[in-house]
Amino acid sequence: MTPPRKLHIKSYGCQMNVYDAQRMVDTLAGEGFVETASADDADLVILNTCHIREKASEKVYSELGRLRVMKDEAARNGRQMNIAVAGCVAQAEGEEIIRRAPVVDVVVGPQSYHHLPQLLAKAKRDGRALETEFPVQDKFGFLPPPKPDAIRSRGISAFVTVQEGCDKFCTFCVVPYTRGAEVSRPVAKIIDDVTRLADHGVREITLIGQNVNAYHGDGPDGRAWPLGKLLHRLADIPGIARLRYSTSHPNDVDDSLIAAHRDLCELMPFVHLPVQSGSDRILSAMNRRHTAAEYHAVIDRFRAARQDIAFSSDFIVGFPGETEEDFSATLALVTQIGYAAAYSFKYSPRPGTPAADMPEMVSAGEMDERLERLQQLIDSQQSAFNLAAIGSTVDVLFERPARKEGQIVGRTAYLQPAHVMASPDIIGQIRPVSIESLERYSLLGRLASRPIASAPSAHSQISTGA
């Protein structure tokens, strides 16, 4: 028998890329590929790229330089190695990659990776293959379902893409240009995916999309279903114990989603709701289409529906024209709301976006200083939130053995890692844990037999650190 070919995928960036990488593995399994953790002995290496972070394309070219050495070494040993660049950098800079990096055999955008088998065949025949057009057909209809062994090997939590693309056109963001317009998958297809995952041991599902709460997929009743209604239906699937979703836009939080948080115990009380700035002037320049007060009102709607809900967010410091007064407004918003976690970044221009042509750039030194101040505030809130768990009993979904022998690690409703000494038999179970201490960002405790007591609201836990 012909030995299987080895496939190595290195993914950058968002959860969507993690999901896409898994689906690439599923697609290429039918071509005789098996996944390997190392690029050294791989027959095919795929860089699944992200265009959001600073210097994204430079990092890709740097990695391609290292892969060129590996590819040359493989050739000297009589072995062929193919290299593909996928994802958002491929979509944005496909022709440039072909021009600058002869080591690359295939360039494929994030909407076309279901064509990887054909593109590899084309590269073998013609030397190179490029596909970065937005296809007319839905790629999900062409992707093979993951095999049961692949599902089980990925653990008890899984991502499921329900929506792609974005119509918001924030001035700093390349997503509308690399992922295209908003498209929602049909409800029936998502139910099939989640049912298959549940049948093979998955207990937690995270629904993902560039703007996931704009979901409006065709339902079995012939109507477009909002995200809240989809969540209600998925909560009925046997075996699914936890539901999450990411990433959301404040303007698309509708009443059905608020009701889902109120009514579904399976829907975790932890929402990632990016705001980017607390300054109305900067929010307008970003084309966010909401004010700080309107964002705060959305937070209040969530909290009215569920007292223990907590939030994470994204922030950009140093956006063109940001003054100290604008930045102070961001600090004020963070202080007022209180976050369990947040991600802050220095602004960096993305070619082709409106913000890249805006004047009044904030100096690098000012960006560094503001980022440090913001991150200190965020860290203090996250620390307070985690410390508030000590002495309480919380539900933990156990995922895998920890690094320390005899420990099993899982996650709380708020995605906090929690470690206990226990048998591996508890993996896949939700068990109450008495939290005894905190080690950096991880909670340490012991399995509890007593019922879980009602916890204080998430906001009261966080605000002590603000």
Side-chain angles (χ1 to χ4, degrees):
M1 293 180 62
T2 304
R5 291 180 287 175
K6 294 182 179 180
L7 164 67
H8 176 75
I9 302 182
K10 182 173 182 177
S11 281
Y12 305 78
C14 66
Q15 293 171 331
M16 186 77 80
N17 270 15
V18 175
Y19 174 86
D20 286 347
Q22 293 174 348
R23 304 304 276 128
M24 290 179 204
V25 172
D26 298 334
T27 297
L28 292 169
E31 304 298 310
F33 283 94
V34 296
E35 194 172 10
T36 179
S38 172
D40 296 339
D41 61 345
D43 300 289
L44 171 61
V45 177
I46 301 176
L47 300 183
N48 191 25
T49 61
C50 175
H51 214 303
I52 298 297
R53 300 294 176 251
E54 187 176 6
K55 300 180 180 177
S57 57
E58 286 88 340
K59 292 176 183 177
V60 172
Y61 290 116
S62 176
E63 186 67 26
L64 288 173
R66 288 188 284 271
L67 290 175
R68 179 180 58 79
V69 175
M70 290 186 190
K71 188 173 185 177
D72 290 345
E73 179 66 22
R76 285 192 290 270
N77 294 327
R79 181 172 64 85
Q80 183 179 12
M81 173 189 282
N82 290 121
I83 297 172
V85 178
C88 290
V89 173
Q91 183 71 40
E93 304 184 25
E95 294 285 356
E96 181 70 2
I97 293 170
I98 290 291
R99 185 185 69 81
R100 284 183 55 182
V103 68
V104 175
D105 302 288
V106 172
V107 177
V108 58
Q111 306 305 327
S112 303
Y113 61 74
H114 57 297
H115 290 155
L116 269 169
Q118 298 94 316
L119 292 170
L120 288 168
K122 184 179 189 306
K124 184 176 182 180
R125 183 179 68 249
D126 301 336
R128 313 286 288 280
L130 167 69
E131 184 171 340
T132 55
E133 296 297 321
F134 289 114
V136 175
Q137 73 271 27
D138 172 15
K139 70 184 177 190
F140 294 101
F142 295 86
L143 293 171
K147 295 181 178 180
D149 287 348
I151 295 173
R152 286 189 285 267
S153 70
R154 292 167 187 168
I156 53 93
S157 298
F159 297 127
V160 173
T161 294
V162 300
Q163 179 272 341
E164 282 199 281
C166 186
D167 296 343
K168 295 295 184 287
F169 288 92
C170 297
T171 57
F172 55 83
C173 186
V174 297
V175 166
Y177 312 103
T178 58
R179 290 277 183 171
E182 290 177 358
V183 177
S184 296
R185 298 180 62 201
V187 170
K189 297 291 187 182
I190 297 166
I191 293 172
D192 287 346
D193 283 357
V194 175
T195 301
R196 183 179 299 108
L197 292 168
D199 287 344
H200 295 97
V202 171
R203 304 294 316 283
E204 178 180 81
I205 296 292
T206 301
L207 307 181
I208 56 175
Q210 271 79 36
N211 190 21
V212 70
N213 59 332
Y215 177 81
H216 53 275
D218 292 336
D221 57 1
R223 299 180 179 182
W225 282 26
L227 182 63
K229 189 170 184 177
L230 175 65
L231 287 163
H232 271 90
R233 176 62 183 86
L234 297 181
D236 290 335
I237 295 176
I240 296 302
R242 286 182 168 182
L243 292 168
R244 304 181 187 273
Y245 59 90
S246 187
T247 291
S248 299
H249 193 285
N251 289 0
D252 291 316
V253 176
D254 64 10
D255 290 342
S256 77
L257 186 57
I258 297 295
H261 277 282
R262 181 194 65 213
D263 300 336
L264 296 177
C265 62
E266 294 87 357
L267 182 56
M268 294 296 95
F270 189 43
V271 177
H272 185 63
L273 193 65
V275 63
Q276 310 299 352
S277 175
S279 162
D280 288 347
R281 194 178 70 84
I282 295 299
L283 288 170
S284 177
M286 290 177 167
N287 195 36
R288 291 290 292 172
R289 305 181 192 179
H290 63 77
T291 64
E294 288 166 342
Y295 175 85
H296 208 307
V298 174
I299 297 288
D300 290 342
R301 289 168 62 206
F302 276 112
R303 285 182 169 147
R306 184 159 182 174
Q307 185 184 25
D308 64 344
I309 202 162
F311 298 90
S312 60
S313 193
D314 292 339
F315 294 91
I316 294 173
V317 301
F319 189 80
E322 182 189 68
T323 65
E324 180 61 28
E325 183 179 3
D326 294 319
F327 178 68
S328 295
T330 296
L331 296 179
L333 182 140
V334 174
T335 300
Q336 292 161 9
I337 290 177
Y339 290 98
Y343 308 93
S344 56
F345 308 96
K346 292 184 292 186
Y347 171 76
S348 60
R350 293 291 174 268
T353 61
D357 297 323
M358 292 181 180
E360 299 183 71
M361 293 295 292
V362 180
S363 72
E366 287 175 308
M367 282 197 202
D368 288 340
E369 189 268 341
R370 290 175 187 175
L371 182 65
E372 183 177 359
R373 287 160 59 195
L374 175 59
Q375 198 58 52
Q376 284 179 351
L377 176 57
I378 290 168
D379 288 347
S380 72
Q381 292 187 347
Q382 183 172 9
S383 177
F385 184 78
N386 290 336
L387 284 169
I390 297 175
S392 66
T393 300
V394 299
D395 268 343
V396 174
L397 173 58
F398 287 98
E399 299 178 344
R400 56 180 172 78
R403 292 179 181 176
K404 184 176 179 180
E405 187 175 355
Q407 272 191 349
I408 308 297
V409 63
R411 291 189 181 271
T412 71
Y414 306 106
L415 290 176
Q416 300 152 301
H419 296 71
V420 300
M421 299 298 294
S423 164
D425 294 343
I426 68 170
I427 292 174
Q429 298 180 24
I430 296 177
R431 299 283 293 272
V433 173
S434 295
I435 304 302
E436 298 174 330
S437 62
L438 176 67
E439 187 175 291
R440 298 197 68 184
Y441 297 107
S442 295
L443 305 176
L444 305 180
R446 56 181 173 80
L447 293 179
S449 56
R450 64 181 184 272
I452 295 178
S454 60
S457 73
H459 183 49
S460 69
Q461 295 178 46
I462 303 168
S463 60
T464 60

